[in-house]
């Protein structure tokens, strides 16, 4: 498996560098689909807990494990580089989004969340994942926004 992971990363590195469009996993998306944070603008000042409302157009929300064309579930990436960047960028595009404090999965099909964030600045990004938590091809991701938690 290690070999295949390495090979996959190498292939993605080559392709992703060669082609301006970036690839995700094996599940197709509507490349016109958009995911976005409805209620928070870049630069917003908020207090914790922070309500984040997930917007999606061009695709549907379905719980994790649901095999249905043009659907996926939301993931909220907190305080990390944009999806596909950082040292595990190629892996997360091909094999899936980790689950930890920086990667929240909404596999129940939730379309909003309330998160506790410490005072200070934080980055947020929404990423759609397929039934197995892998970004689609083309990946459907929001802009990264930076918010400041004042208390
Ligand atoms: Cu997931």
């Amino acid at each position: 498996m290690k070999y295949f992971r390495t090979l996959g990363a190498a292939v993605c590195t080559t392709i992703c560098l060669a082609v301006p469009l970036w690839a995700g996993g094996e599940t197709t998306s509507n490349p016109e689909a958009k995911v976005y944070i409805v209620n928070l603008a870049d630069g917003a000042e908020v207090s914790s807990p922070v309500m984040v409302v997930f917007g999606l157009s061009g695709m549907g929300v379905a719980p994790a494990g649901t095999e249905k064309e043009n659907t996926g579930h939301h993931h909220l990436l907190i305080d990390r580089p944009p999806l596909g960047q950082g040292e595990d960028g190629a892996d997360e595009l091909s094999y899936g989004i980790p689950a930890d404090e920086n990667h929240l999965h909404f596999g129940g099909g939730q379309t909003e969340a309330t998160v506790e964030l410490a005072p200070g600045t934080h980055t947020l990004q929404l990423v759609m994942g397929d039934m197995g938590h892998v970004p689609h091809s083309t990946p459907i991701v929001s802009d990264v926004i930076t918010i400041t938690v004042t208390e």
Side-chain angles (χ1 to χ4, degrees), residues 64 73-75 97-98 104-107 129-134:
H73 63 277
H74 288 284
H75 301 82
I97 300 164
L104 305 183
H105 290 244
F106 298 93
D130 69 8
M131 60 180 286
H133 314 278
V134 181

Side-chain angles (χ1 to χ4, degrees), residues 11-43:
V11 167
C12 185
T13 301
T14 306
I15 294 172
C16 295
L17 289 178
V19 182
L21 288 172
W22 51 322
E26 296 176 352
T27 304
T28 58
S29 63
N30 170 8
E32 306 287 302
K34 293 216 174 343
V35 65
Y36 52 95
I37 296 172
V38 174
N39 64 321
L40 297 172
D42 187 40

